[in-house]
Amino acid sequence: MATRVLCRRVRFLPGWRKRFTQAQLIHTKPKEEITDEEENKKVLEHQDASFRGEYRLHYNPSSYHHVTRNSANSHSQTDNYEEEQCFSAQAPSCWQQSNCYSVSCSRHLSSSKNTLLDLAFNKASETEAPSALSYNRKPVPPDVKVDTRAFLKCRPEYTSLSLNLTQRPHPIEWVDVLPLLQKVSVLKGRMKPFDVSQFLVELSKLHPDKMPLLLSDQRFIMLLRYSVEHLRIFSELQLLEVLQSFVWLKIPASDTVLDVFEAELRCQANQLTLHQLLLAADLWRCIGRQVPQYLQCLYDSVHLHVGQVGVPELVQLLYIIGEGRHCPKDLIRPVEQLLMRHLSQLHPEEVGTVCLGLFKSQTSLSEGAVTRIVDRALSFVTEMGDFAMVNVLKYLRFSYLYHRTWLEAMAQEVPRRTHRMGVQGLMHVTLTCSALHYRNDSILTSVAESIPSLVPHCRSKDSSKLLWAFGTLGFLPIQSPGFYPSLIDALRKRKAEFQRYPEHLLTGLLGLAFVSQFPEDLVTLALSPEFVYLSLRNSQLELKKDMFTLDGAVALELPQWKGPRLSDELREEVAEMLWKFAQSDVCLKPEVLEAESALQDLLGGDKFVCKKMILPHTRSIDLEVHLDANGQPVPVNLLCPKQSATMIPSPQSLEKINSGVPVTDKLLAQLIKGKNTTDSLASSVKVTPTPCQRLPPDEGGRLFDSILDLTNDMIETLTKPSRRDSTHQASVCQGFKGPIKIAVQISSRNHYCAQSQQLLGLHAMKRRHLKIAGYRVVELSHLEWSSMLRKSRAEKLGYLHCKIYDNL
């Protein structure tokens, strides 16, 4: 054992003696200088810790980067409110590479040359200041204080699993600390592990305002060296006591002393109980240090102690999983089983913590499990705090689960809570509504009326996501005149942040474009060559698409625009990329292929139908059809082989469908409508009972007892407009030059708000842009066309005939 310890201790950090000399001079700096320097370093170091992800929207804005904070006292603020998606655990490379100690441990602590430990920040963190931070980010004051650890008050059992940050030890003054520091200098190498731990515990009671003075005292630095020297012989209890004292002492999360303590805890993980492992993980969280390797030891231990996991252990585990932003795949199933077993015992705030942990770690449970969790939250939704309620919404958004009863409850809860909720909570509420395509005017109006007073607390991320959510749900400016202008002003005030987060500007401007709002100064900035270069230097695909969509919207809706535009090369590149994706995806969907084929039969060949992206910036395809002034089809697909331009399909092409079709009132009405007399219809129709040829029941459960034999006259009726139709179409087209351009859209449920005929923002904008471009939109709605797919070819032709010509 002694040999092993000695081998561990002879590792020295490169340049240690140089930094040791610098540490001796720390105490000579003024207190204010130390505080400012440490704060600046902390900001620079942790602003670069980011994560990304995307919402499950049919057309989603680009993913977002998020900043983490490492100050222990920030947990009582709103920093956790902003957590959106998981991010990779950030940690210095020196403690990710091995389990060996990375701080040297001299055996001659009593020597006058080796009595101090370097407490300065790692030099690596100084030299690795993020180059992307070319602006001074202004902190946004929190609008409301949120207790992100309120669940710890639900049960007394949490006291052994976590640290209560609201119960700080009774503070002592500097004069009370001086005798302790004197004892440290006297005892020196004669100190035992118990003495070291007790000194640190007592010193951690110092008033927070005096902590910088203590941290710079060379006697305290010496005490830290002794803690490293005795680390291997600390008992488990002493080790946790020392780690807890580091929380109150506000030891910087990047301090090298913590490297050795983390390594030691990993080595002793097998000897710690589940409660001790959870407590240590919580202490690391309070310090603000990401410790993925230690957390893996904790997760491995959970498998061995599943039987010991009760409600408090499970909730605390999920809290730790969320703060670590990762849940091992082999732990998901046991966690789900434990959740289902203990779900009925969870309190409201515990349900919120469970949802937040699953959300932050991007952990997907089965649909049934998510439904049961939300059902549990629904059972006491009126008792839930705002923070817990928002966390449930976050996990619903991640799981993409449309829980109607919960959303209806939100229509009651959100309006009565908006006056006390912060801007980040309101942003999450509306973002979830937009992700689930749930539009409720009570929710949107109440949030819109609250936002203008909260603008000073809006980060660029909050403003952009609010604009995106409201624009996606089609909330018009007239519904709340002050809403959009206030958020546009908020974006202007946070312009500096767009240098690091260009996606925020693009996301906000797209949301505005959905409702025809174009603040010209911000659009000019977004399309400027400098901003385009800044956005695309990492070749982010989503940003290219966002800029392309914005550029196309500006071209159509601002015809007098004199500002910057994207280059032709970039537009062509993105258009080609989008088209290639469409060819491999939406172009191959059965409903699209069937509509294309049926239209070709209806109009006389494939040269009369062109499947394309009419407006590539809208990111979806259409079937383009051209008609002349008499309603006759005009070739539009010049790339197709030359075929006859006749409107009536050849008998060979209709041979497959000339075997009879079911007789329905709608079909008879269409046939009668298309003929001048009923005699010609009667002479061409023969109805014969054919029970053996019945079709399967349709969606309404109806059975057809007879079929209709098609004749040439009937085929002509289905595929050729009547004289009355042609006359009407000619009158409509009179005065127009060129063909009538028709865009046939095969819509889906994802184009609309849930259970509504309200188009979502992007698709409403597309309809608007098609009309501006001179197209008439013919929609094959999802409900109608999906049911037609089961019908015969003749019925499909009749349906399309009505759609094309009746819409004229």
Side-chain angles (χ1 to χ4, degrees), residues 76-117:
S76 62
Q77 304 296 328
T78 58
D79 59 319
N80 281 356
Y81 233 47
E82 69 179 340
E83 304 296 353
E84 310 264 85
Q85 302 287 340
C86 65
F87 60 82
S88 301
Q90 304 292 319
S93 58
C94 62
W95 54 270
Q96 284 184 336
Q97 293 175 352
S98 68
N99 292 340
C100 299
Y101 293 160
S102 58
V103 173
S104 59
C105 305
S106 173
R107 295 166 55 197
H108 304 286
L109 288 180
S110 58
S111 168
S112 60
K113 295 182 179 180
N114 293 309
T115 56
L116 302 178
L117 176 65

Side-chain angles (χ1 to χ4, degrees), residues 733-780:
C733 300
Q734 193 172 14
F736 287 87
K737 295 182 179 180
I740 304 172
K741 297 186 293 183
I742 298 175
V744 180
Q745 292 186 333
I746 300 93
S747 62
S748 75
R749 284 175 297 192
N750 285 331
H751 294 180
Y752 290 89
C753 295
Q755 301 177 343
S756 168
Q757 292 303 308
Q758 169 75 45
L759 279 168
L760 292 172
L762 179 64
H763 306 287
M765 184 182 74
K766 178 181 177 179
R767 293 280 178 94
R768 192 167 66 245
H769 289 180
L770 284 170
K771 292 178 181 178
I772 294 174
Y775 284 85
R776 303 191 182 192
V777 178
V778 173
E779 179 187 10
L780 307 185

Side-chain angles (χ1 to χ4, degrees), residues 579 591-612 614 621-627 633-641 643-644 742-746 780 793 797 800 804-805:
W579 175 238
E591 59 269 24
V592 174
L593 294 175
E594 187 63 24
E596 181 184 24
S597 175
L599 276 174
Q600 289 172 353
D601 286 347
L602 177 68
L603 300 177
D606 56 2
K607 66 181 178 181
F608 297 108
V609 182
C610 181
K611 180 168 59 180
K612 61 186 289 189
I614 297 176
I621 67 162
D622 306 280
L623 301 176
E624 184 171 358
V625 173
H626 289 184
L627 301 178
V634 176
V636 62
N637 195 346
L638 301 179
L639 298 178
C640 294
Q643 296 181 10
S644 173
I742 298 175
V744 180
Q745 292 186 333
I746 300 93
L780 307 185
R793 189 69 161 182
L797 294 177
L800 292 174
I804 294 294
Y805 293 103

